[in-house]
Coordinates of all heavy atoms in Angstrom, one line a residue:
V21 N 79.3 -60.8 35.1 CA 78.0 -60.4 34.5 C 77.6 -59.0 35.1 O 77.7 -58.8 36.3 CB 76.9 -61.5 34.9 CG1 75.5 -61.0 34.4 CG2 77.2 -62.8 34.3
K22 N 77.1 -58.2 34.2 CA 76.6 -56.9 34.6 C 75.2 -56.7 34.2 O 74.8 -57.1 33.1 CB 77.5 -55.7 34.0 CG 78.9 -55.7 34.5 CD 79.6 -54.5 33.9 CE 81.1 -54.5 34.4 NZ 81.8 -53.3 33.9
L23 N 74.4 -56.2 35.1 CA 73.0 -56.0 34.8 C 72.7 -54.5 34.5 O 73.2 -53.6 35.2 CB 72.1 -56.4 36.0 CG 72.2 -57.9 36.4 CD1 71.4 -58.1 37.6 CD2 71.8 -58.8 35.3
M24 N 71.9 -54.3 33.5 CA 71.5 -52.9 33.1 C 70.0 -52.8 33.2 O 69.3 -53.7 32.8 CB 72.0 -52.5 31.7 CG 73.5 -52.5 31.6 SD 74.0 -51.9 30.0 CE 73.5 -53.3 28.9
A25 N 69.6 -51.6 33.7 CA 68.1 -51.4 33.8 C 67.6 -51.1 32.4 O 68.2 -50.4 31.6 CB 67.9 -50.2 34.6
P26 N 66.4 -51.7 32.0 CA 65.9 -51.6 30.7 C 65.7 -50.1 30.2 O 65.9 -49.8 29.1 CB 64.6 -52.4 30.7 CG 64.7 -53.2 31.9 CD 65.6 -52.6 32.8
Q27 N 65.2 -49.3 31.2 CA 65.0 -47.9 30.8 C 66.2 -47.1 30.5 O 66.2 -46.1 29.8 CB 64.2 -47.2 31.9 CG 64.9 -47.1 33.3 CD 64.6 -48.2 34.2 OE1 64.2 -49.3 33.8 NE2 64.8 -48.0 35.5
L28 N 67.4 -47.6 30.9 CA 68.7 -47.0 30.5 C 69.1 -47.4 29.1 O 69.9 -46.7 28.5 CB 69.7 -47.3 31.6 CG 69.5 -46.7 33.0 CD1 70.6 -47.2 33.9 CD2 69.3 -45.2 33.0
V29 N 68.7 -48.6 28.7 CA 69.1 -49.2 27.4 C 68.2 -48.7 26.3 O 68.6 -48.5 25.2 CB 69.2 -50.7 27.5 CG1 69.6 -51.3 26.1 CG2 70.2 -51.1 28.5
K30 N 66.9 -48.5 26.6 CA 65.9 -48.1 25.6 C 66.3 -47.0 24.7 O 66.0 -47.1 23.5 CB 64.6 -47.8 26.3 CG 63.4 -47.6 25.4 CD 62.1 -47.5 26.1 CE 61.0 -47.2 25.3 NZ 60.7 -48.1 24.2
P31 N 66.9 -45.9 25.2 CA 67.3 -44.9 24.2 C 68.3 -45.3 23.1 O 68.4 -44.7 22.1 CB 67.9 -43.8 25.1 CG 67.5 -44.1 26.5 CD 67.2 -45.5 26.5
Y32 N 69.0 -46.4 23.3 CA 70.0 -46.8 22.4 C 69.4 -47.8 21.4 O 70.1 -48.2 20.4 CB 71.2 -47.5 23.1 CG 71.9 -46.5 24.0 CD1 71.7 -46.6 25.4 CD2 72.7 -45.5 23.5 CE1 72.4 -45.7 26.2 CE2 73.3 -44.6 24.3 CZ 73.2 -44.7 25.7 OH 73.8 -43.8 26.5
V33 N 68.2 -48.3 21.6 CA 67.5 -49.2 20.7 C 66.8 -48.5 19.6 O 66.0 -47.6 19.9 CB 66.5 -50.2 21.4 CG1 65.8 -51.1 20.5 CG2 67.3 -51.0 22.5
S34 N 67.1 -48.8 18.3 CA 66.5 -48.1 17.2 C 65.1 -48.6 17.0 O 64.6 -49.5 17.7 CB 67.3 -48.3 15.9 OG 67.4 -49.6 15.6
R35 N 64.4 -48.0 16.1 CA 62.9 -48.3 15.9 C 62.7 -49.7 15.5 O 63.7 -50.4 15.2 CB 62.3 -47.3 14.9 CG 63.1 -47.4 13.6 CD 62.5 -46.3 12.6 NE 63.5 -45.8 11.7 CZ 63.9 -46.5 10.6 NH1 63.4 -47.7 10.4 NH2 64.8 -46.0 9.8
N36 N 61.5 -50.2 15.5 CA 61.1 -51.5 15.1 C 61.9 -52.6 15.9 O 62.7 -53.3 15.4 CB 61.3 -51.8 13.6 CG 60.5 -50.9 12.7 OD1 59.4 -50.4 13.2 ND2 61.0 -50.6 11.6
K37 N 61.5 -52.7 17.2 CA 62.2 -53.5 18.1 C 62.1 -55.0 17.7 O 61.1 -55.5 17.4 CB 61.5 -53.4 19.5 CG 62.0 -54.2 20.6 CD 61.3 -53.8 21.9 CE 61.4 -54.7 23.0 NZ 62.6 -55.3 23.4
N38 N 63.3 -55.6 17.7 CA 63.5 -57.0 17.5 C 64.7 -57.5 18.2 O 65.5 -56.6 18.8 CB 63.4 -57.4 16.0 CG 64.6 -56.9 15.3 OD1 65.6 -56.6 15.8 ND2 64.4 -56.7 14.0
D39 N 65.1 -58.8 18.2 CA 66.2 -59.3 19.0 C 67.5 -58.6 18.5 O 68.4 -58.3 19.3 CB 66.3 -60.8 18.9 CG 65.2 -61.4 19.7 OD1 64.6 -60.7 20.6 OD2 64.9 -62.6 19.5
W40 N 67.7 -58.5 17.2 CA 68.9 -58.0 16.6 C 69.1 -56.5 17.0 O 70.2 -56.2 17.5 CB 68.8 -58.1 15.1 CG 70.1 -57.5 14.4 CD1 70.2 -56.3 13.8 CD2 71.3 -58.1 14.3 NE1 71.4 -56.1 13.3 CE2 72.2 -57.2 13.6 CE3 71.9 -59.3 14.6 CZ2 73.5 -57.5 13.3 CZ3 73.2 -59.6 14.3 CH2 74.0 -58.7 13.7
R41 N 68.1 -55.7 17.0 CA 68.2 -54.3 17.3 C 68.4 -54.2 18.9 O 69.0 -53.2 19.3 CB 67.0 -53.6 16.8 CG 67.0 -53.5 15.3 CD 66.2 -52.3 14.8 NE 66.5 -52.1 13.4 CZ 65.6 -52.3 12.5 NH1 64.3 -52.6 12.8 NH2 65.9 -52.1 11.2
D42 N 67.7 -55.1 19.6 CA 68.0 -55.1 21.1 C 69.5 -55.3 21.4 O 70.0 -54.7 22.2 CB 67.1 -56.1 21.8 CG 65.7 -55.7 21.9 OD1 65.4 -54.5 21.7 OD2 64.8 -56.6 22.2
A43 N 70.0 -56.3 20.7 CA 71.5 -56.6 20.9 C 72.3 -55.4 20.5 O 73.3 -55.1 21.2 CB 71.8 -57.9 20.1
E44 N 72.0 -54.8 19.4 CA 72.8 -53.6 19.0 C 72.7 -52.5 20.1 O 73.7 -51.8 20.4 CB 72.2 -53.0 17.7 CG 72.7 -53.8 16.5 CD 72.2 -53.2 15.2 OE1 71.1 -52.5 15.2 OE2 72.8 -53.3 14.2
G45 N 71.5 -52.3 20.6 CA 71.3 -51.3 21.7 C 72.1 -51.6 22.9 O 72.6 -50.7 23.5
L46 N 72.1 -52.9 23.3 CA 72.9 -53.3 24.5 C 74.4 -53.1 24.2 O 75.0 -52.6 25.1 CB 72.6 -54.8 24.8 CG 71.3 -55.1 25.4 CD1 71.1 -56.6 25.4 CD2 71.2 -54.6 26.8
C47 N 74.9 -53.4 23.1 CA 76.3 -53.2 22.8 C 76.6 -51.7 22.8 O 77.6 -51.3 23.3 CB 76.6 -53.8 21.4 SG 76.6 -55.6 21.4
E48 N 75.7 -50.9 22.2 CA 75.9 -49.4 22.2 C 75.9 -48.9 23.7 O 76.8 -48.1 24.0 CB 74.8 -48.7 21.4 CG 74.9 -47.2 21.4 CD 76.1 -46.7 20.6 OE1 76.6 -47.4 19.7 OE2 76.6 -45.6 20.9
A49 N 75.0 -49.3 24.5 CA 74.9 -48.9 25.9 C 76.1 -49.3 26.7 O 76.6 -48.6 27.5 CB 73.6 -49.4 26.5
M50 N 76.6 -50.5 26.4 CA 77.8 -51.0 27.1 C 79.0 -50.2 26.8 O 80.0 -50.1 27.6 CB 78.1 -52.5 26.8 CG 77.1 -53.5 27.5 SD 77.3 -53.5 29.3 CE 79.0 -54.1 29.4
S51 N 79.1 -49.7 25.6 CA 80.3 -48.9 25.2 C 80.3 -47.5 25.8 O 81.4 -46.9 25.7 CB 80.3 -48.8 23.6 OG 79.3 -48.0 23.2
R52 N 79.3 -47.1 26.4 CA 79.2 -45.8 27.0 C 80.0 -45.8 28.3 O 79.7 -46.6 29.2 CB 77.8 -45.3 27.2 CG 77.0 -45.2 26.0 CD 77.5 -44.2 25.1 NE 76.8 -44.2 23.8 CZ 76.9 -43.2 22.9 NH1 77.7 -42.2 23.1 NH2 76.2 -43.3 21.8
P53 N 80.9 -44.8 28.5 CA 81.7 -44.9 29.8 C 80.9 -44.5 31.0 O 81.3 -45.0 32.1 CB 82.8 -43.8 29.5 CG 82.2 -42.9 28.5 CD 81.3 -43.8 27.7
R54 N 79.8 -43.8 30.9 CA 79.0 -43.4 32.1 C 77.8 -44.3 32.3 O 76.9 -43.9 33.0 CB 78.6 -42.0 32.0 CG 79.9 -41.1 31.9 CD 79.5 -39.7 32.0 NE 79.0 -39.5 33.4 CZ 78.7 -38.4 33.9 NH1 78.9 -37.3 33.3 NH2 78.2 -38.3 35.1
M55 N 77.7 -45.5 31.7 CA 76.6 -46.3 31.9 C 76.5 -46.8 33.3 O 77.5 -47.2 33.9 CB 76.7 -47.5 30.9 CG 75.5 -48.5 31.1 SD 73.9 -47.9 31.0 CE 73.8 -47.3 29.3
R56 N 75.3 -46.8 33.9 CA 75.1 -47.2 35.3 C 74.6 -48.7 35.2 O 73.8 -49.0 34.4 CB 74.1 -46.3 36.0 CG 74.6 -44.9 36.2 CD 73.6 -44.1 36.8 NE 72.5 -43.8 35.8 CZ 71.3 -43.5 36.0 NH1 70.9 -43.4 37.2 NH2 70.5 -43.3 35.0
F57 N 75.0 -49.5 36.2 CA 74.6 -50.9 36.2 C 73.8 -51.1 37.5 O 73.9 -50.4 38.5 CB 75.9 -51.8 36.2 CG 76.6 -51.6 34.9 CD1 77.8 -50.9 34.9 CD2 76.2 -52.3 33.8 CE1 78.5 -50.7 33.7 CE2 76.9 -52.1 32.6 CZ 78.0 -51.3 32.5
V58 N 73.0 -52.2 37.5 CA 72.2 -52.6 38.6 C 72.9 -53.6 39.4 O 73.4 -54.6 38.8 CB 70.8 -53.1 38.0 CG1 69.9 -53.6 39.2 CG2 70.1 -52.1 37.2
P59 N 72.9 -53.5 40.7 CA 73.6 -54.5 41.5 C 72.7 -55.8 41.5 O 71.5 -55.8 41.4 CB 73.6 -53.9 42.9 CG 72.6 -52.9 42.9 CD 72.4 -52.4 41.5
V60 N 73.4 -56.9 41.7 CA 72.7 -58.2 41.7 C 72.1 -58.4 43.1 O 72.7 -58.1 44.1 CB 73.7 -59.4 41.4 CG1 73.1 -60.7 41.6 CG2 74.4 -59.2 40.1
K61 N 70.8 -58.8 43.1 CA 70.1 -59.0 44.4 C 70.4 -60.3 45.0 O 70.6 -61.3 44.3 CB 68.6 -58.8 44.1 CG 68.2 -57.4 43.7 CD 66.7 -57.4 43.5 CE 66.3 -56.0 43.1 NZ 66.8 -55.5 41.9
R62 N 70.4 -60.3 46.3 CA 70.6 -61.6 47.1 C 69.3 -62.4 47.0 O 68.2 -61.8 46.7 CB 71.0 -61.3 48.5 CG 72.3 -60.6 48.7 CD 72.7 -60.5 50.2 NE 71.5 -60.2 51.0 CZ 71.2 -59.0 51.5 NH1 71.9 -57.9 51.1 NH2 70.1 -58.8 52.3
A63 N 69.3 -63.6 47.4 CA 68.1 -64.5 47.4 C 67.1 -63.9 48.3 O 65.9 -64.0 48.0 CB 68.5 -65.9 47.7
E64 N 67.5 -63.4 49.5 CA 66.5 -62.9 50.5 C 65.8 -61.6 49.9 O 64.6 -61.4 50.1 CB 67.3 -62.5 51.8 CG 67.9 -63.7 52.5 CD 69.3 -64.0 52.0 OE1 69.9 -63.2 51.2 OE2 69.7 -65.1 52.3
Q65 N 66.6 -60.8 49.2 CA 66.0 -59.6 48.6 C 64.9 -60.0 47.5 O 63.9 -59.4 47.4 CB 67.0 -58.7 47.9 CG 67.9 -58.0 49.0 CD 69.0 -57.3 48.3 OE1 69.7 -57.8 47.3 NE2 69.3 -56.1 48.7
Q66 N 65.3 -61.0 46.7 CA 64.4 -61.5 45.7 C 63.1 -62.1 46.3 O 62.0 -61.9 45.8 CB 65.1 -62.5 44.8 CG 66.1 -61.9 43.9 CD 66.8 -62.9 43.0 OE1 66.8 -64.1 43.3 NE2 67.5 -62.4 42.0
A67 N 63.3 -62.8 47.4 CA 62.1 -63.4 48.1 C 61.2 -62.3 48.6 O 60.0 -62.4 48.5 CB 62.6 -64.3 49.2
A68 N 61.8 -61.3 49.2 CA 61.0 -60.2 49.7 C 60.2 -59.5 48.6 O 59.0 -59.1 48.8 CB 61.9 -59.2 50.5
L69 N 60.9 -59.2 47.5 CA 60.2 -58.6 46.3 C 59.1 -59.5 45.8 O 58.0 -59.0 45.4 CB 61.2 -58.3 45.2 CG 62.2 -57.1 45.5 CD1 63.2 -57.1 44.5 CD2 61.4 -55.8 45.6
M70 N 59.3 -60.8 45.8 CA 58.3 -61.7 45.3 C 57.1 -61.7 46.2 O 55.9 -61.6 45.7 CB 58.8 -63.1 45.3 CG 57.8 -64.2 44.8 SD 58.5 -65.8 44.8 CE 58.8 -66.1 46.6
L71 N 57.3 -61.7 47.5 CA 56.2 -61.6 48.5 C 55.4 -60.3 48.3 O 54.2 -60.3 48.4 CB 56.6 -61.8 49.9 CG 57.1 -63.2 50.3 CD1 57.6 -63.2 51.7 CD2 55.9 -64.2 50.1
T72 N 56.1 -59.2 48.1 CA 55.5 -57.9 47.9 C 54.6 -57.9 46.7 O 53.5 -57.4 46.6 CB 56.5 -56.8 47.8 OG1 57.3 -56.8 49.0 CG2 55.9 -55.4 47.7
G73 N 55.2 -58.5 45.6 CA 54.4 -58.6 44.3 C 53.2 -59.4 44.5 O 52.1 -59.1 43.9
I74 N 53.3 -60.6 45.2 CA 52.1 -61.4 45.4 C 51.0 -60.7 46.2 O 49.8 -60.7 45.9 CB 52.5 -62.7 46.1 CG1 53.3 -63.6 45.2 CG2 51.3 -63.5 46.6 CD1 54.0 -64.8 45.8
R75 N 51.5 -60.0 47.3 CA 50.5 -59.2 48.1 C 49.8 -58.1 47.3 O 48.6 -58.0 47.3 CB 51.3 -58.5 49.3 CG 50.4 -57.8 50.2 CD 51.2 -57.2 51.4 NE 50.3 -56.5 52.3 CZ 49.8 -55.3 52.2 NH1 50.2 -54.6 51.2 NH2 49.0 -54.8 53.1
D76 N 50.6 -57.4 46.4 CA 50.0 -56.4 45.6 C 49.0 -57.0 44.6 O 47.9 -56.4 44.4 CB 51.0 -55.6 44.8 CG 51.9 -54.7 45.7 OD1 51.5 -54.4 46.8 OD2 53.0 -54.3 45.2
G77 N 49.3 -58.2 44.1 CA 48.3 -58.8 43.2 C 47.1 -59.2 43.9 O 46.0 -59.1 43.4
L78 N 47.2 -59.8 45.1 CA 46.0 -60.2 45.9 C 45.1 -59.0 46.2 O 43.9 -59.0 46.2 CB 46.4 -60.9 47.2 CG 47.0 -62.3 46.9 CD1 47.6 -62.9 48.3 CD2 46.0 -63.2 46.3
I79 N 45.8 -57.9 46.6 CA 45.0 -56.6 46.9 C 44.3 -56.2 45.7 O 43.1 -55.8 45.7 CB 45.9 -55.6 47.5 CG1 46.4 -56.0 48.9 CG2 45.2 -54.2 47.5 CD1 47.4 -55.1 49.5
A80 N 44.9 -56.2 44.5 CA 44.3 -55.8 43.3 C 43.1 -56.7 42.9 O 42.0 -56.2 42.5 CB 45.3 -55.8 42.1
R81 N 43.2 -58.0 43.1 CA 42.1 -58.9 42.8 C 41.0 -58.7 43.8 O 39.8 -58.8 43.4 CB 42.6 -60.3 42.9 CG 43.5 -60.7 41.7 CD 43.8 -62.2 41.7 NE 44.8 -62.5 40.7 CZ 46.1 -62.6 40.9 NH1 46.5 -62.4 42.1 NH2 46.9 -62.8 39.9
R82 N 41.3 -58.4 45.1 CA 40.2 -58.1 46.0 C 39.5 -56.9 45.7 O 38.2 -56.9 45.7 CB 40.9 -58.0 47.4 CG 39.8 -57.7 48.5 CD 40.5 -57.4 49.8 NE 41.2 -56.1 49.8 CZ 41.8 -55.5 50.8 NH1 42.0 -56.2 51.9 NH2 42.4 -54.4 50.6
T83 N 40.2 -55.8 45.2 CA 39.5 -54.6 44.8 C 38.7 -54.8 43.6 O 37.5 -54.3 43.5 CB 40.6 -53.5 44.5 OG1 41.4 -53.3 45.7 CG2 40.0 -52.2 44.1
Q84 N 39.2 -55.6 42.6 CA 38.4 -55.9 41.4 C 37.1 -56.7 41.8 O 36.1 -56.4 41.2 CB 39.3 -56.8 40.5 CG 38.6 -57.1 39.2 CD 39.5 -58.0 38.3 OE1 40.5 -58.6 38.8 NE2 39.2 -58.1 37.0
L85 N 37.2 -57.7 42.6 CA 36.1 -58.4 43.0 C 35.1 -57.6 43.8 O 33.8 -57.7 43.5 CB 36.5 -59.6 43.9 CG 35.4 -60.5 44.4 CD1 34.7 -61.2 43.2 CD2 36.0 -61.6 45.3
T86 N 35.5 -56.7 44.7 CA 34.6 -55.8 45.4 C 33.9 -54.9 44.4 O 32.7 -54.7 44.5 CB 35.4 -54.9 46.4 OG1 36.1 -55.8 47.3 CG2 34.5 -54.0 47.2
N87 N 34.6 -54.3 43.5 CA 34.0 -53.4 42.5 C 33.0 -54.2 41.6 O 31.9 -53.6 41.2 CB 35.0 -52.7 41.6 CG 35.8 -51.7 42.4 OD1 35.4 -51.2 43.4 ND2 37.0 -51.4 41.9
T88 N 33.3 -55.4 41.3 CA 32.4 -56.2 40.5 C 31.1 -56.5 41.2 O 30.0 -56.3 40.7 CB 33.1 -57.6 40.1 OG1 34.2 -57.3 39.3 CG2 32.1 -58.4 39.2
I89 N 31.2 -56.9 42.5 CA 30.0 -57.2 43.3 C 29.2 -55.9 43.4 O 28.0 -55.9 43.3 CB 30.4 -57.7 44.6 CG1 31.0 -59.1 44.5 CG2 29.2 -57.7 45.6 CD1 31.6 -59.7 45.7
R90 N 29.9 -54.8 43.7 CA 29.2 -53.5 43.8 C 28.4 -53.1 42.5 O 27.3 -52.6 42.6 CB 30.1 -52.4 44.2 CG 29.5 -51.1 44.5 CD 30.4 -50.0 44.9 NE 31.1 -50.3 46.2 CZ 32.3 -50.6 46.4 NH1 33.2 -50.6 45.3 NH2 32.8 -50.9 47.5
G91 N 29.1 -53.4 41.4 CA 28.4 -53.1 40.1 C 27.2 -53.9 39.8 O 26.2 -53.4 39.4
H92 N 27.3 -55.2 40.1 CA 26.2 -56.1 39.9 C 25.0 -55.8 40.9 O 23.9 -55.8 40.5 CB 26.6 -57.6 40.1 CG 27.4 -58.1 39.0 ND1 27.1 -58.0 37.7 CD2 28.6 -58.7 39.0 CE1 28.1 -58.5 36.9 NE2 29.0 -59.0 37.8
A93 N 25.4 -55.4 42.1 CA 24.4 -55.0 43.1 C 23.7 -53.7 42.6 O 22.4 -53.6 42.8 CB 25.0 -54.9 44.4
A94 N 24.4 -52.8 42.0 CA 23.8 -51.5 41.6 C 22.8 -51.8 40.4 O 21.9 -51.0 40.3 CB 24.9 -50.6 41.1
E95 N 23.0 -52.8 39.6 CA 22.1 -53.1 38.5 C 20.8 -53.5 39.0 O 19.8 -53.3 38.4 CB 22.7 -54.2 37.7 CG 23.9 -53.8 36.8 CD 24.4 -54.9 36.0 OE1 23.8 -56.0 36.0 OE2 25.4 -54.7 35.3
V96 N 20.6 -54.0 40.3 CA 19.3 -54.4 40.8 C 18.9 -53.4 41.8 O 17.9 -53.7 42.5 CB 19.4 -55.9 41.4 CG1 19.7 -56.9 40.3 CG2 20.4 -56.0 42.5
G97 N 19.6 -52.3 41.9 CA 19.1 -51.2 42.8 C 19.7 -51.2 44.2 O 19.3 -50.3 45.0
L98 N 20.7 -52.0 44.5 CA 21.3 -51.9 45.8 C 22.6 -51.1 45.7 O 23.6 -51.5 45.0 CB 21.7 -53.3 46.3 CG 20.6 -54.3 46.5 CD1 21.1 -55.7 46.8 CD2 19.7 -53.8 47.6
I99 N 22.6 -49.9 46.3 CA 23.7 -49.0 46.2 C 24.5 -49.1 47.5 O 24.0 -49.0 48.6 CB 23.2 -47.5 46.0 CG1 22.3 -47.4 44.8 CG2 24.4 -46.6 45.8 CD1 22.9 -47.9 43.5
A100 N 25.8 -49.4 47.3 CA 26.7 -49.5 48.5 C 27.8 -48.4 48.4 O 28.2 -48.0 47.3 CB 27.4 -50.9 48.5
P101 N 28.2 -47.9 49.6 CA 29.3 -46.9 49.6 C 30.6 -47.5 49.2 O 30.8 -48.8 49.2 CB 29.3 -46.4 51.0 CG 28.7 -47.6 51.8 CD 27.7 -48.2 50.9
K102 N 31.5 -46.7 48.8 CA 32.9 -47.2 48.4 C 33.6 -47.7 49.6 O 33.3 -47.3 50.7 CB 33.7 -46.0 47.8 CG 33.3 -45.7 46.4 CD 34.2 -44.7 45.8 CE 33.8 -44.4 44.4 NZ 34.8 -43.4 43.8
G103 N 34.5 -48.6 49.4 CA 35.3 -49.2 50.5 C 34.8 -50.6 50.8 O 33.7 -51.1 50.3
L104 N 35.6 -51.4 51.5 CA 35.2 -52.7 51.8 C 34.1 -52.7 52.8 O 33.3 -53.6 52.9 CB 36.4 -53.5 52.4 CG 37.5 -53.7 51.4 CD1 38.7 -54.4 52.1 CD2 37.1 -54.6 50.3

């Protein structure tokens, strides 16, 4: 099994994306002699990436909640500086 990065296959997919055209693009990309492939990640690497993604999501939700509270407080006249 060889993995290809989607951004490397995208130029080979014709307009009006669907499964058939995606398959054609993959076949075209595979036939290129200079196509680069993505190495398969170990389970530890996937776990680390998963934790990083979860952390990024939690930080984004915290920022969203902080901005929401700040916005509601500003509606009643309470102005707070930026930051937690």
Side-chain angles (χ1 to χ4, degrees):
V21 174
K22 294 184 178 183
L23 300 176
M24 292 186 292
Q27 63 267 24
L28 298 177
V29 177
K30 186 170 173 60
Y32 299 106
V33 178
S34 59
R35 56 185 153 73
N36 298 333
K37 180 176 164 41
N38 62 26
D39 289 343
W40 177 260
R41 291 204 169 113
D42 285 345
E44 281 182 335
L46 285 170
C47 290
E48 178 70 26
M50 285 293 295
S51 68
R52 301 296 174 168
R54 299 192 62 172
M55 177 55 63
R56 293 175 289 156
F57 297 100
V58 179
V60 178
K61 292 181 179 62
R62 296 187 321 265
E64 296 84 13
Q65 290 173 317
Q66 290 177 341
L69 287 171
M70 180 182 61
L71 288 175
T72 303
I74 290 171
R75 182 179 185 275
D76 290 343
L78 289 173
I79 290 172
R81 286 188 190 96
R82 181 186 68 181
T83 304
Q84 181 183 16
L85 181 61
T86 302
N87 290 337
T88 301
I89 292 170
R90 186 178 295 112
H92 289 310
E95 289 179 4
V96 295
L98 300 171
I99 306 300
K102 286 187 177 181
L104 292 175

